[in-house]
Amino acid sequence: MFRKVFIFCSCVIFLGGCVFDSEPMPEIVYGSGSKPIIIPPRITKPKPDMGSVYKNIPRDWLPPSHLEKRWAAVVVHHSATEKGNAAIFHKIHIEQKHWDGVGYDFVIGNGTDSGDGQVEVTFRWRKQIPGAHCGGTANNWANRDGVGICLVGDFTYTVPTARQMESLVKLIRFLQKRYRIPKSRIYGHSSTPGAHITACPGKRFPMSRLKAMLY
Ligand SMILES: [Zn+2]
């Protein structure tokens, strides 16, 4: 019995030394019975892989190839409302702001009028046309070159849901990878260079936590 355990331990140590240098090793405990108990190591999560960014990406995140333009930045907004979805904002932006439709490229729901963490793609992204999310004009750089993402909610008072943050990170990572957008050009609306003074995306929006999760 001792010999078997010795051989097993030798193999584990040998393999550990050769292959899994920095990985945690299984622990062997000798209980009251004759057989040793082997406790498997805790598996740590693999680090994010840049290559995995296209896996499980919804098809509608990819713009039509003949229209696709280059994007240089991402501007994150909140809707400043408790509820809403892309269709509701589309109607409001036409009727109240007299724009040609919803100002954002993407809207991420909070479980009220669309799914919690659901990413809606708007006509702006599908047509690859300038946004109306930063200053409201078609001519400033943030609207022309920045992708506008709106999270439903008022983050002056609340925080985004876990699923909203999960979708936001996934979406921004996709955009970063596809358009080579560095972390330094991921903005909250209020910190976007040239933006009008605004509280958007709200003082409780976790911008530093978001940045820590990006490339
Ligand atoms: Zn905004």
Side-chain angles (χ1 to χ4, degrees):
M1 186 62 219
F2 176 74
R3 213 178 142 198
K4 273 188 191 165
V5 171
F6 177 75
I7 291 168
F8 175 78
C9 290
S10 304
C11 286
V12 167
I13 289 162
F14 175 72
L15 279 174
C18 291
V19 188
F20 306 110
D21 231 349
S22 58
E23 292 297 311
M25 299 303 297
E27 200 182 328
I28 300 167
V29 177
Y30 296 94
S32 51
S34 58
K35 282 188 180 172
I37 302 158
I38 299 167
I39 302 168
R42 208 152 43 89
I43 305 296
T44 48
K45 258 190 169 180
K47 289 200 176 84
D49 168 23
M50 289 291 276
S52 70
V53 80
Y54 284 114
K55 281 181 197 157
N56 307 316
I57 291 299
R59 286 188 124 203
D60 58 355
W61 290 13
L62 288 160
S65 54
H66 65 290
L67 297 176
E68 187 167 19
K69 55 164 270 189
R70 294 189 66 84
W71 297 91
V74 171
V75 182
V76 178
H77 304 262
H78 70 160
S79 65
T81 57
E82 285 177 23
K83 302 158 79 171
N85 62 26
I88 291 169
F89 301 143
H90 186 75
K91 197 164 180 283
I92 292 171
H93 287 177
I94 289 174
E95 288 175 2
Q96 294 178 16
K97 297 188 184 273
H98 309 292
W99 296 343
D100 52 348
V102 59
Y104 316 110
D105 295 285
F106 298 93
V107 176
I108 303 181
N110 65 350
T112 55
D113 292 315
S114 62
D116 185 7
Q118 182 185 342
V119 179
E120 291 183 284
V121 181
T122 78
F123 78 105
R124 287 191 192 278
W125 187 251
R126 284 194 296 275
K127 292 185 175 177
Q128 293 281 285
I129 55 176
H133 52 87
C134 207
T137 66
N139 299 321
N140 70 58
W141 81 271
N143 280 333
R144 192 187 60 235
D145 299 333
V147 182
I149 304 174
C150 175
L151 279 73
V152 179
D154 189 338
F155 308 136
T156 312
Y157 309 106
T158 61
V159 292
T161 69
R163 287 188 176 169
Q164 279 183 303
M165 287 304 287
E166 207 176 288
S167 297
L168 181 64
V169 168
K170 184 175 172 181
L171 177 57
I172 295 179
R173 281 184 177 180
F174 160 74
L175 295 168
Q176 282 188 287
K177 172 84 174 168
R178 192 159 183 87
Y179 304 106
R180 297 177 188 277
I181 302 172
K183 201 189 282 196
S184 55
R185 277 193 256 123
I186 310 297
Y187 302 108
H189 184 179
S190 58
S191 60
T192 307
H196 294 165
I197 293 170
T198 172
C200 179
K203 63 178 188 285
R204 298 194 64 189
F205 180 83
M207 185 51 85
S208 48
R209 185 155 67 84
L210 170 66
K211 290 266 184 135
M213 291 187 278
L214 301 176
Y215 295 126

